[in-house]
Amino acid sequence: MTKVTSQLSVSVDGFYAGPLFEGDGDWMDSAESAGFFRVTRWVTEVSAWRERQGFTGGEQDTNSEVIAETFEAAGAYVMGRRMADGGEVPWGDEPPFRAPVFVVTHRPRERLLRQGGTSFTFVTEGVASAVEQARAAAGGKNVAVAGGGSLVRQVLKAGLLDELELHVVPVVLGTGLRLFDADLDLAEKEAIELTPTRVIHTPEVTHIRYAVNGRAPLVLDDRGSGGGPTVTR
């Protein structure tokens, strides 16, 4: 069954990149870039990621197996326009996705066809439409929400995300682009409940996979006052 999934690398304090870059200079020299490449360092060092980029070498280890599994599971992708714009030139004529990609944007653009099975369809009707189109194109595999973090929050907020995997890197960035922010529109006594389904630890990163259960009320737990359940024998 097709699931809508997402996976992101984050620091221990919840940032997936450094502070937002809004200048006219080179993004690669920005604090946003520095934070991003720190939390994704484990990815660029593994063979499964490097092979997809057309590079040689890399570690063949547990982290590489996680990346290979992620690529294999995805039958289509959804991403934001900022990620698509930033990646278009570096990805070149044969991007690493090898599947249809649906880009959420306000700016219409003709569909792009690339080598290796990747195509980019620009969706102006919103997140739900992009996810629906990706489901139809996924061929029974998963729809992977590739990011960035703002798009992942939109999909989560809309109740469309089935599974979330966080790759928690042992670093504290202190500031930057936070994955979970106040724009989820949760009520004061409401939360989005998750169930951990897998944890894989390595020295470089801890992979935690969650099933997304959806919104639920926050209920007062008064067991400490003695009002909790009573066990009789």
Side-chain angles (χ1 to χ4, degrees):
M1 182 180 71
T2 297
K3 294 185 292 186
V4 180
T5 69
S6 185
Q7 53 92 27
L8 285 96
S9 296
V10 295
S11 64
V12 169
D13 50 344
F15 298 102
Y16 63 91
L20 179 66
F21 174 65
E22 299 179 287
D24 297 325
D26 186 353
W27 180 82
M28 292 294 290
D29 291 332
S30 70
E32 180 182 343
S33 168
F36 173 77
F37 284 112
R38 173 60 190 93
V39 297
T40 59
R41 180 191 303 167
W42 71 272
V43 181
T44 59
E45 291 177 344
V46 302
S47 60
W49 183 87
R50 296 182 66 82
E51 183 274 329
R52 280 286 183 133
Q53 312 301 318
F55 304 146
T56 59
E59 298 294 329
Q60 296 183 351
D61 55 12
T62 299
N63 293 330
S64 186
E65 291 172 2
V66 169
I67 291 295
E69 178 187 59
T70 300
F71 279 131
E72 176 59 30
Y77 293 84
V78 176
M79 71 174 57
R81 183 62 185 253
R82 188 168 185 251
M83 180 177 179
D85 285 349
E88 184 172 346
V89 172
W91 290 329
D93 293 330
E94 190 169 352
F97 306 103
R98 302 181 188 176
V101 179
F102 295 85
V103 181
V104 180
T105 179
H106 295 295
R107 291 178 284 157
R109 184 176 176 184
E110 292 296 319
R111 185 168 179 250
L112 298 179
L113 298 178
R114 293 291 186 253
Q115 298 175 22
T118 299
S119 62
F120 294 92
T121 300
F122 297 86
V123 181
T124 58
E125 298 83 19
V127 167
S129 177
V131 170
E132 181 180 359
Q133 292 181 55
R135 278 186 182 276
K141 289 188 172 185
N142 291 342
V143 172
V145 181
S150 174
L151 180 67
V152 173
R153 290 196 299 276
Q154 291 179 55
V155 177
L156 183 62
K157 177 174 136 181
L160 299 173
L161 193 65
D162 300 309
E163 182 179 281
L164 173 66
E165 186 157 18
L166 298 182
H167 311 291
V168 184
V169 177
V171 64
V172 175
L173 294 183
T175 187
L177 297 178
R178 189 182 294 278
L179 175 55
F180 299 119
D181 218 327
D183 57 0
L184 290 172
D185 288 347
L186 290 168
E188 286 188 358
K189 294 185 178 181
E190 184 182 43
I192 296 174
E193 295 284 351
L194 311 174
T195 299
T197 60
R198 187 179 78 172
V199 179
I200 300 174
H201 171 72
T202 74
E204 298 81 18
V205 58
T206 300
H207 312 279
I208 309 176
R209 180 177 294 174
Y210 298 94
V212 180
N213 302 326
R215 294 173 183 249
L218 294 172
V219 180
L220 177 64
D221 184 345
D222 66 347
R223 285 175 293 181
S225 66
T230 302
V231 178
T232 59
R233 296 173 184 254

